Amino acid sequence: NAGAGFSTYLWSNGNTTQSINISSTGIYWVRVTGMNGCKNTDTAYIKNLLPVPSQFLLFSDTAVCKSDTIILKTVQIFTNYLWNTGSTSPSVTVNSPGLYWLNVTDKFGCQGKDTVTVIPKNCFKEIYFPNTFTPNNDGRNDIYLPKAYGSLDFYHITIFNRWGKKVFESYDLTKGWDGNTRGSKQDNGGYVWICNYRFLGYRTENQQGSFLLVR
């Protein structure tokens, strides 16, 4: 681009516009004429052609479980990002299938675009409730802790002893029962649990069962 404000332009390739587009290395000159008739020439030497960014997304195609999330991100660092979601961050978290694209600008000002197709998949979703636990501090099976396969957005478990007295309650799947209530060890034997939970995108489930405490 030779800049605005001149009356005429003449490039080495014969163009007479203010700017030209090039696609090869070489020497390019432009002669301009000012409004007062004065002329001058300037030259640019294009030494290298840099490749545009391509195939920079971590996935070309990937899958997501219903209502789960997946993070789409690049394998390189760029100066600017623009996703078709409107985000300008290096990564986006998506929870629905579809075609996602990202435009990037690298440190040289080169721009590129890459796409990823997110397809839906059926995923196993279940909570497993152990039928026995042994809180004897041996480092194995010391905590009664259900295990969820899938993403939960609600969880509530209550545990009762054989007389119907509540001995434990939690809304956090990562926090289980250690066999104590208010600092007192509970007796060996059977206990009953009631659990309400909901996987992301699904209805609330209600389950109940029992297990043995063995020290």
Side-chain angles (χ1 to χ4, degrees), residues 130-135 144 159-163 167 177 179 185-193 209-215:
N131 56 19
T132 305
F133 89 118
T134 56
Y144 187 80
I159 298 176
F160 304 89
N161 63 18
R162 70 187 70 182
W163 296 283
V167 295
W177 186 40
K185 290 184 178 180
Q186 297 300 296
D187 297 333
N188 287 347
Y191 291 80
V192 174
W193 56 263
S210 61
F211 64 90
L212 289 176
L213 186 159
V214 181
R215 294 188 187 275

Side-chain angles (χ1 to χ4, degrees), residues 25 53 66 74 96-98 105 113 132 165 181-182 194 196-197 200:
T25 58
K66 179 182 177 182
T74 63
S96 59
T105 304
K113 181 178 181 180
T132 305
K165 182 179 179 181
T181 301
R182 297 185 181 90
I194 297 175
N196 301 322
Y197 59 89
L200 285 169

Side-chain angles (χ1 to χ4, degrees), residues 137-158:
N137 297 319
D138 65 352
R140 295 182 300 174
N141 200 28
D142 287 330
I143 302 294
Y144 187 80
L145 187 66
K147 184 173 180 60
Y149 299 91
S151 298
L152 293 172
D153 65 357
F154 177 75
Y155 169 82
H156 177 215
I157 190 171
T158 309

Side-chain angles (χ1 to χ4, degrees), residues 2-208:
F6 299 105
S7 59
T8 64
Y9 302 84
L10 178 63
W11 291 88
S12 51
N13 63 0
N15 281 22
T16 57
T17 54
Q18 176 181 319
S19 62
I20 61 172
N21 293 321
I22 63 169
S23 58
S24 60
T25 58
I27 298 175
Y28 296 85
W29 57 259
V30 60
R31 180 176 296 123
V32 298
T33 303
M35 297 302 178
N36 56 6
C38 296
K39 297 182 179 182
N40 206 346
T41 303
D42 201 0
T43 302
Y45 181 24
I46 306 302
K47 296 181 178 180
N48 299 300
L49 293 178
L50 301 174
V52 299
S54 63
Q55 298 181 338
F56 45 77
L57 286 174
L58 180 61
F59 306 108
S60 56
D61 294 299
T62 188
V64 63
C65 300
K66 179 182 177 182
S67 298
D68 279 356
T69 60
I70 188 170
I71 298 177
L72 305 180
K73 59 183 179 179
T74 63
V75 294
Q76 306 163 36
I77 297 176
F78 297 98
T79 303
N80 294 302
Y81 306 83
L82 177 61
W83 296 84
N84 62 323
T85 62
S87 173
T88 56
S89 300
S91 64
V92 293
T93 300
V94 301
N95 60 7
S96 59
L99 179 67
Y100 295 87
W101 55 257
L102 171 63
N103 281 333
V104 299
T105 304
D106 66 15
K107 63 181 180 179
F108 302 108
C110 299
Q111 297 182 344
K113 181 178 181 180
D114 200 3
T115 61
V116 56
T117 301
V118 178
I119 59 176
K121 68 176 179 178
N122 294 321
C123 299
F124 178 68
K125 295 181 181 295
E126 186 178 5
I127 293 186
Y128 168 70
F129 296 90
N131 56 19
T132 305
F133 89 118
T134 56
N136 54 10
N137 297 319
D138 65 352
R140 295 182 300 174
N141 200 28
D142 287 330
I143 302 294
Y144 187 80
L145 187 66
K147 184 173 180 60
Y149 299 91
S151 298
L152 293 172
D153 65 357
F154 177 75
Y155 169 82
H156 177 215
I157 190 171
T158 309
I159 298 176
F160 304 89
N161 63 18
R162 70 187 70 182
W163 296 283
K165 182 179 179 181
K166 182 171 66 176
V167 295
F168 178 76
E169 183 178 24
S170 177
Y171 289 87
D172 186 345
L173 185 62
T174 65
K175 296 180 180 179
W177 186 40
D178 62 0
N180 299 318
T181 301
R182 297 185 181 90
S184 299
K185 290 184 178 180
Q186 297 300 296
D187 297 333
N188 287 347
Y191 291 80
V192 174
W193 56 263
I194 297 175
C195 187
N196 301 322
Y197 59 89
R198 182 175 62 246
F199 286 101
L200 285 169
Y202 291 81
R203 66 182 183 181
T204 301
E205 300 286 345
N206 303 297
Q207 282 189 254
Q208 63 182 28

